[in-house]
Amino acid sequence: MKLPETSEWVLHTVAVIAQLPAGSTVSGAQLAEHFGVPGPYLSKQLAKLVRAGVLTGSTGPRGGFRLARDPGAISILDLVTAVDGAADPYVCRELRQQGRGAARPEDCTRPCGLAVVMRQAHEAWRASLAGVTVAEVVATLPASVLEKNRRLLLGEGVTEPLSR
């Protein structure tokens, strides 16, 4: 399974927002600078996350993005689906019925075996991502990473509990 680069941006962005104290907001520009990615493209992905109900966004001097739900209620699949959709990446074009080696129609009454295997793989991948939450990913990070991200995004001396 190959995902666009922007999917990685989204996964890391939501994970870093989940490291901040509850109610904290961070701007798209701060996030783009934090990860060294293009701001306009990241902003488009953040807007998708807002539409999907993963983030909330506000404007103004204290505006920015924050989680719309508890990080324990946001699966990695939620993030991938929000930005990349849920479509199966494998499309069977019934190649077995084309060209000089075309199978007879009566031999193709069941779905193509390759299409079946690919669909099963896609469903297993989705189930795997659905079984992992943002909170679980954040829980694997060393305290030094959490402290650094909070300091860089919110300023020195942040001691509030993580958003949970």
Side-chain angles (χ1 to χ4, degrees):
M1 175 61 59
K2 183 176 181 179
L3 293 172
E5 186 177 12
T6 54
S7 297
E8 181 182 5
W9 300 353
V10 164
L11 295 170
H12 282 281
T13 297
V14 172
V16 83
I17 292 171
Q19 296 169 44
L20 304 178
S24 297
T25 60
V26 61
S27 73
Q30 284 177 292
L31 292 165
E33 180 182 3
H34 190 74
F35 291 112
V37 300
Y41 294 113
L42 180 61
S43 291
K44 289 179 184 179
Q45 305 314 311
L46 295 173
K48 291 178 184 178
L49 293 170
V50 169
R51 286 192 296 276
V54 173
L55 298 179
T56 61
S58 58
T59 57
R62 300 185 62 90
F65 295 95
R66 67 174 166 246
L67 296 181
R69 306 192 305 256
D70 183 275
I74 302 170
S75 73
I76 301 305
L77 182 62
D78 293 334
L79 305 179
V80 171
T81 301
V83 297
D84 296 316
D88 190 334
Y90 183 80
V91 178
C92 181
R93 292 176 180 81
E94 282 296 330
L95 196 60
R96 65 186 175 163
Q97 295 184 52
Q98 298 177 31
R100 191 174 73 171
R104 301 175 307 169
E106 58 268 23
D107 293 334
C108 299
T109 58
R110 291 198 219 180
C112 171
L114 293 171
V116 170
V117 168
M118 294 303 285
R119 181 70 184 155
Q120 290 170 344
H122 179 66
E123 288 303 318
W125 179 77
R126 289 177 54 81
S128 176
L129 296 180
V132 179
T133 68
V134 171
E136 291 170 321
V137 171
V138 170
T140 68
L141 300 172
S144 60
V145 170
L146 302 175
E147 292 166 10
K148 178 181 178 182
N149 285 330
R150 291 170 57 152
R151 180 177 42 78
L152 290 172
L153 291 167
L154 299 177
E156 297 291 332
V158 178
T159 59
E160 297 87 6
L162 296 177
S163 61
R164 301 261 179 218

